[in-house]
Amino acid sequence: MGSIDHLHQFWDFSPALLSFLGENFRTKDDLLKASDLVLELDKQCLDLDHNLTDLNQKLKASIVAYASQSERIGGLFNEIKAKLNDLRSSTCVSGLFLDGSDGENLGRAEQILVKELPSLAKEVARVETVRIYAETALKLDTLVGDIEDAVSSTMTGHLRKIHSLENLEETRLMAIKSLKLAEDVLTSVTKARPQWTHLVSAVDNRVDRALAILRPQAIADYRALLASLGWPPPLSNLNYSNANAGKSPDILNPLFTMQGDLKKQYCKNFLALCSLQELQRQRKSRQLEGHNREVALRQPLWVIEELVTPISLASQHHLLKWVEKPEFIFALAYKVIRDYVDSMDELLQPLVDKARLVGYSCREEWISAMVTSLTTFLEKEIFPIYVGRLEDNVSDLSSHARLSWLHLVDLMIAFDKRVHSLVTHSGVLLPNGEYDNLQRISSMSVFCDRPDWLELWAEIELGDMLDKLKPEMEDERRWTMKVQGEVLRGSEDYKSPAVTVVVIRHLSAMVDRCRPLARISLRARFIQLAGLPIIHEFFDVLLRRCQEADALTALVDDDALIKVIHSINAARYCESVLKEWCEDVFFLEMALNHGDQVIEEVDSASSVAGTAEGPGNGIFEEVIKKLEEFISEWVEKISIVVLRGFDVQLRDYVKNRKQWQEKGEESWSVSKSFVGAMDYLQGKISKLQEGLNEIDFIGIWRSLAAGVDRLVFIGVLMSNVKFYNGGVERFGSDLEVLFGVFGAWCLRPESFFPKINDGLKLLRMGAKQLEELEVGKGRWLKESGLRHLSVTEAEKIAKNRVFTG
């Protein structure tokens, strides 16, 4: 009978217990393990008892806190009830007074309405605030308790190696959900009750402790899933010969090959990690309110970083063997980026969008993380070796080290171009001005934190460029050959020697070398160190050639004059190119960012900031100003030399005072000495027109016209010589020859000789008109159209006019 009762009790067991016994006692041999099972169950029960004890203590503390708050709120409500009773009684008193009561009741009513009623309203508002605070604190405490319980459960499951990953994920998702609810409450509290800082701080501290456990667990589970998927993929199938070709057909992407429950589990873990990151971004956004949040909020995507890290570790074995062959390093990096970039768009991007991570592109994050990994390797392993070789004093080794450095930079620039094409061809546009984004996908960012390496690079580039340029600048054939087809700013022809194009081409190549740099300050610094010295070197060559020609022949010889003309043309061409460059956005950014940190960084090492702050031509302002001064100086010297020669040719003409005293028109003719001087002047101007650029030629012939006007006016009209009728006609004929010479370059040449033209008009006037000059003076000169002569000059010319004979 006892056995039957015992059997009856066995069938009363719960289904869960029956299932547990069935799983653990399937055979007779399982009975031998009963003692171990009992120990394990005792241990689990002990842990559960501890957890239950902790929960009871927390519940007790919460109940005590709630009870104390309830008692306090009850006391406050009792006080309010008493004051409301006083108010009711005072209202009754006030009603009695209106029916005829005395003045004391009126004073009591006024005291209640003026003093006690506002105080009561404040007390009611304070009580309401306390009530809201208590409810908010209790709600937050409940949410944080749920978070801590979920975190504790996930941690306990990991410690006991529970194989039900689905339960762990569900618990983690519940914790994330509670975290989001708590964050929403904290956000509303921060906006509505900013004075509750202690409450927010206390909750933040508890949440931070929970996140410090939850995030590492989620990442560890994600890494375990990746390992079970076979990530990272093998890199041993790299072949440099086909690294630049299309995607390898034998590449198996583990992210595409996962199936069934494993894929479902991966997606859940991926979403959980993304949700945690978005939650942290929201928390940072709230905590950094009022500060420069964008700098701190932008973080790499955690799930992508976990994909890249094992690949970086696996590739170290290959990369360390290729220190002497950096082209293999960049080939491997690009191959890995290219082979797996499609899976980022097709598989992972929809999950990121589902997690509502705003502003993240999996393609860009994958490329960025891979490039950052490569940059870190270059900074730690490659560049220190190359820098050490450059510091070696052996000339042959140092020369080889410089070539190796330039080759490495070439590889980095080419790699960045290919990587940028992967980003832009996908439809993801890199925003202009977001230099942090550009820096993240550029291997050239290795120079951002090492300005000393940037200066070393600029020094190497400058030395290499000058070694190439010096033979070109010393080749005289480069100075005699003109630039063919090089026309800038409309139809202007600068007639520049071919050497100028060589210099500009090398300078342009130098500028292109620094374009991949992400920061404006680094570009400006590189151009200052490697670009501007090229222009200064060319300027020194121009100046030296002109000074040599001036010292040897004083520019009297035509060959020396042509040598100076070529230098002026070269300077004008170079100045025009630099001014056009300054209108490009690339250089405008350097000129317009004079007020922020970019220019402050440049100012700490150079004078670039000073030039950029002005309204001029930015980084090239100083050298453009030097070129303009050089052109102005040597154009003026040419004018002085030509005018000096013209003055020598004009001396016989000026000394022949008798030619102005001819009385009859029958003897009138052009002065031979004046024709000789005009022939000299025309020859020089024609030589200048043939060799000099159009802009400076216009300036120089106008300068010569002003000089000739001054020389003839002083030498002839102001020399106290007497002018008879025949002399006036001769002088007019001579001026016609002068106007005819300059008529080849303008329509009204007489307007460029205002002094002698007005003097001739005055000489051709009649005696009565000249007598009016004595009366009208300045007013008469203006009415007669003689605006370029002073009264003294006009009176002197008029006194020398002879009408007799």
Side-chain angles (χ1 to χ4, degrees), residues 441-511:
I441 59 171
S442 172
S443 63
M444 300 290 285
S445 61
V446 70
F447 295 107
C448 292
D449 298 326
R450 294 303 300 265
D452 54 327
W453 289 354
L454 179 76
E455 294 179 2
L456 186 58
W457 172 34
E459 179 185 348
I460 296 172
E461 291 280 1
L462 177 60
D464 179 69
M465 198 67 72
L466 290 179
D467 290 341
K468 297 176 181 178
L469 270 179
K470 285 181 179 179
E472 299 284 350
M473 291 189 290
E474 293 173 358
D475 188 357
E476 285 297 327
R477 292 175 300 176
R478 292 289 188 182
W479 292 94
T480 56
M481 292 189 301
K482 296 288 182 15
V483 177
Q484 299 297 328
E486 293 286 343
V487 178
L488 300 175
R489 295 184 180 275
S491 60
E492 297 171 1
D493 184 4
Y494 291 92
K495 300 180 181 179
S496 179
V499 68
T500 315
V501 176
V502 176
V503 173
I504 293 298
R505 187 185 304 120
H506 282 74
L507 180 61
S508 177
M510 187 72 76
V511 171

Side-chain angles (χ1 to χ4, degrees), residues 503-566:
V503 173
I504 293 298
R505 187 185 304 120
H506 282 74
L507 180 61
S508 177
M510 187 72 76
V511 171
D512 290 339
R513 299 281 281 175
C514 73
R515 286 183 185 273
L517 292 171
R519 296 182 184 174
I520 297 177
S521 60
L522 297 181
R523 300 173 192 170
R525 182 65 175 156
F526 183 87
I527 293 175
Q528 184 207 13
L529 295 175
L532 294 183
I534 294 177
I535 310 176
H536 287 298
E537 179 70 19
F538 185 56
F539 176 79
D540 292 340
V541 172
L542 296 177
L543 184 59
R544 185 168 60 251
R545 290 175 64 85
C546 291
Q547 290 174 343
E548 290 174 354
D550 188 26
L552 292 175
T553 65
L555 302 184
V556 176
D557 183 75
D558 286 345
D559 293 336
L561 185 63
I562 291 174
K563 195 172 184 178
V564 174
I565 287 174
H566 287 163

Side-chain angles (χ1 to χ4, degrees), residues 57-71:
Q57 290 178 353
K58 290 181 180 180
L59 179 61
K60 182 178 179 181
S62 300
I63 293 174
V64 170
Y66 180 76
S68 63
Q69 292 290 341
S70 299
E71 292 178 359

Side-chain angles (χ1 to χ4, degrees), residues 628-656:
E628 290 174 343
E629 292 175 351
F630 169 83
I631 294 169
S632 177
E633 177 185 354
W634 287 96
V635 165
E636 184 179 357
K637 282 190 177 183
I638 291 176
S639 300
I640 292 173
V641 169
V642 174
L643 286 175
R644 189 183 297 124
F646 176 76
D647 188 28
V648 173
Q649 297 289 331
L650 198 66
R651 286 178 185 176
D652 293 339
Y653 178 75
V654 173
K655 290 179 181 179
N656 188 6

Side-chain angles (χ1 to χ4, degrees), residues 148-168:
E148 292 173 342
D149 292 342
V151 171
S152 177
S153 298
T154 57
M155 187 169 63
T156 303
H158 276 282
L159 292 175
R160 296 178 180 176
K161 299 181 180 180
I162 296 176
H163 297 290
S164 180
L165 297 177
E166 185 174 355
N167 292 336
L168 286 178

Side-chain angles (χ1 to χ4, degrees), residues 696-727:
D696 294 316
F697 172 72
I698 293 174
I700 204 169
W701 78 253
R702 290 183 176 182
S703 175
L704 290 174
V708 170
D709 182 55
R710 183 175 62 254
L711 289 175
V712 175
F713 181 77
I714 295 174
V716 177
L717 296 179
M718 293 288 103
S719 61
N720 291 321
V721 64
K722 300 298 182 180
F723 280 89
Y724 288 75
N725 291 338

